[in-house]
Amino acid sequence: MSKNTRFLLVSLPASISPTNDHDEALTALRSAVTTDYGTVFPFSIPEFKIGTLDALVQQADDLAKLESGCEAVVGKVGDALRTILEGDEGKIAQQKTVNDKPAEQYLKSFHWNKTKYQATKPLGEILDTLQKEITSIDNQVKDKYNSYNQIKTNLTTLQRKQTGNLSNKSLSNIVPPSLLVQDSDYLETHLIAVPRTITKDFLRAYETLTPMVVPRSAVQVSADDEFTLYAVTTFKKYSHEFIHKCRESKWTPRDFKYKEGGKEEESKELEKVGKEEKKVWGEALRLGRTAWSESVMAWVHVLALRVFVETVLRYGLPLNFVCGLVRTTPKLAKKARSSLDKSYSYLGGNAFGRDKKGRVTKDDSAMSADMQAAGHMGDGGEYSPYVCYEFEIL
């Protein structure tokens, strides 16, 4: 979805229309927003079983936390898709669909999923179901992407061994066994990668680096643009000290033991891990696509529940309200809300008034602690005279 799209989910009492008619109330909402600031679509929310006032206040608080959690999971899944698709925004956008259609289309045609979240159940049960679902999505994505990252790291390590320099690449196809002292109780051959700029220093110093270095034993094995690889023989008694002194001199000791068929074994391992990486990549991509869809749907259902609970707390019973989805932009969202404030400030009671020029003013002192405790402060802790939640799906 475009980063230039923002939504307002607005609920108003049907009494904003003289006839209390829903269609007329929606028309009034459209007139208040005006086409200059956004487009209004009907947003259908079913009626749910309502418990006690105390329960509703608690559920309003729980839903606020759950909505933040849903938004965070949608963001995490988006980040995971971005990682696996290496930041290709075109490909990422193709994966970000909801029920195989653009998220905006899903929002515009939203219908409560009565099969998954039965509206006949108590609000608390529906909330628990959504909480468990979003937690499960988060855990599944986390596990799969951790698995993929581990395999990707393993593959990168194996590939580096084939394509790196002599300080880190595999030596299986570079070092002939004839250069190594093998099966000796006293002697041991060390392979040292020396930066090409200091090879003369190495050749001058290696024999006196520690006791018991076999004189003139340094043999050049191979060279690349950055390093020259030497084989040096020492007595095993001083092997540990020799390796330590090499590191101090910024020469890289290579841990290598000749193994018959080692080169072929490495090739097979690289091929095996490469196939596994492709398999898990595909699984992670499919999971990311599904998880993004499901987490967005869960988020929108939580938003719908927030609107319903807040509507009951704000406007009371019997319920008679209209809900609209306002499609706007980050720049125009503030103007859309100001326009709504101007039209419906009277719903805020003493919290809103007008100055001498007729402009809407807000009286913070009139906002009681009870209003805050009941969850009426809206997004960002700012009180609005009507129910409104602002969000973006990126």
Side-chain angles (χ1 to χ4, degrees):
M1 185 178 290
S2 170
K3 292 181 180 180
N4 202 36
T5 303
R6 184 166 291 181
F7 296 98
L8 307 177
L9 204 50
V10 180
S11 166
L12 291 160
S15 60
I16 61 170
S17 158
T19 61
N20 285 348
D21 180 76
H22 278 229
D23 291 338
E24 287 185 13
L26 188 64
T27 300
L29 173 58
R30 287 192 173 110
S31 298
V33 172
T34 78
T35 54
D36 292 336
Y37 302 143
T39 308
V40 179
F41 302 91
F43 193 89
S44 176
I45 299 177
E47 288 197 20
F48 299 94
K49 284 186 176 180
I50 300 168
T52 64
L53 177 60
D54 286 346
L56 279 173
V57 171
Q58 182 60 53
Q59 285 159 357
D61 186 48
D62 292 342
L63 282 164
K65 294 174 184 174
L66 180 55
E67 199 229 315
S68 294
C70 289
E71 184 177 4
V73 170
V74 171
K76 287 180 193 175
V77 177
D79 288 343
L81 283 170
R82 186 167 288 102
T83 298
I84 201 168
L85 292 170
E86 299 178 337
D88 188 320
E89 293 298 332
K91 291 180 179 179
I92 294 166
Q94 290 175 6
Q95 302 303 317
K96 286 185 172 182
T97 60
V98 183
N99 268 354
D100 295 322
K101 56 188 175 185
E104 185 171 323
Q105 187 179 334
Y106 171 75
L107 283 167
K108 290 177 182 177
S109 58
F110 175 78
H111 289 286
W112 185 267
N113 189 333
K114 294 180 180 179
T115 303
K116 203 171 187 180
Y117 317 109
Q118 295 179 31
T120 54
K121 289 186 175 181
L123 273 173
E125 286 189 27
I126 300 172
L127 200 154
D128 286 344
T129 299
L130 283 160
Q131 176 69 69
K132 288 175 182 175
E133 181 180 5
I134 204 69
T135 301
S136 175
I137 292 170
D138 190 22
N139 289 336
Q140 285 179 42
V141 171
K142 193 184 302 178
D143 289 346
K144 179 57 71 175
Y145 279 82
N146 283 345
S147 175
Y148 172 72
N149 286 333
Q150 182 60 56
I151 291 171
K152 181 70 174 176
T153 300
N154 293 344
L155 179 62
T156 301
T157 301
L158 289 172
Q159 288 173 333
R160 193 180 295 121
K161 285 183 177 180
Q162 302 299 316
T163 59
N165 58 48
L166 287 168
S167 71
N168 53 38
K169 73 186 299 184
S170 170
L171 302 179
S172 294
N173 61 340
I174 294 173
V175 180
S178 58
L179 274 180
L180 305 175
V181 176
Q182 300 184 68
D183 302 322
S184 170
D185 293 333
Y186 303 103
L187 298 176
E188 185 172 15
T189 302
H190 304 284
L191 296 167
I192 311 297
V194 181
R196 296 195 69 167
T197 54
I198 56 174
T199 53
K200 289 182 179 179
D201 296 339
F202 168 79
L203 291 171
R204 268 197 308 266
Y206 82 92
E207 290 182 353
T208 57
L209 204 60
T210 64
M212 308 296 277
V213 176
V214 176
R216 300 184 183 180
S217 63
V219 177
Q220 181 176 323
V221 181
S222 183
D224 59 24
D225 293 339
E226 298 175 70
F227 291 88
T228 300
L229 185 68
Y230 289 96
V232 177
T233 304
T234 70
F235 277 74
K236 285 185 176 180
K237 182 179 179 180
Y238 290 94
S239 288
H240 181 76
E241 185 180 348
F242 181 78
I243 289 171
H244 178 70
K245 293 284 187 180
C246 283
R247 289 198 176 101
E248 284 186 346
S249 302
K250 303 192 184 312
W251 311 331
T252 306
R254 297 299 313 275
D255 185 15
F256 175 76
K257 299 291 182 187
Y258 176 77
K259 183 179 180 182
E260 189 71 39
K263 181 182 175 182
E264 292 75 13
E265 192 174 297
E266 284 182 1
S267 296
K268 287 180 181 177
E269 179 67 11
L270 179 61
E271 184 180 356
K272 176 187 172 185
V273 175
K275 287 180 179 178
E276 183 67 14
E277 188 269 344
K278 287 181 181 178
K279 174 176 172 287
V280 178
W281 181 90
E283 293 171 353
L285 183 61
R286 287 190 293 275
L287 176 62
R289 180 186 176 91
T290 303
W292 198 83
S293 174
E294 291 181 352
S295 57
V296 168
M297 286 192 284
W299 183 14
V300 176
H301 279 76
V302 170
L303 278 164
L305 275 182
R306 283 198 79 183
V307 169
F308 177 82
V309 170
E310 180 67 12
T311 296
V312 176
L313 290 171
R314 188 74 68 93
Y315 308 137
L317 298 172
L319 276 176
N320 191 13
F321 70 100
V322 64
C323 184
L325 176 75
V326 183
R327 183 193 186 278
T328 183
T329 68
K331 287 184 178 180
L332 293 177
K334 189 173 182 180
K335 292 182 178 180
R337 294 190 74 155
S338 293
S339 183
L340 287 166
D341 286 348
K342 185 176 180 181
S343 297
Y344 303 116
S345 60
Y346 67 88
L347 294 171
N350 294 333
F352 284 79
R354 292 182 184 271
D355 61 17
K356 291 179 180 178
K357 293 184 179 180
R359 292 174 300 195
V360 175
T361 59
K362 192 181 298 184
D363 181 6
D364 292 332
S365 64
M367 300 179 191
S368 68
D370 291 340
M371 199 177 285
Q372 295 184 43
H376 294 331
M377 298 309 288
D379 294 334
E382 197 172 314
Y383 178 71
S384 170
Y386 46 87
V387 178
C388 181
Y389 294 107
E390 191 171 328
F391 64 100
E392 289 178 274
I393 300 178
L394 299 176

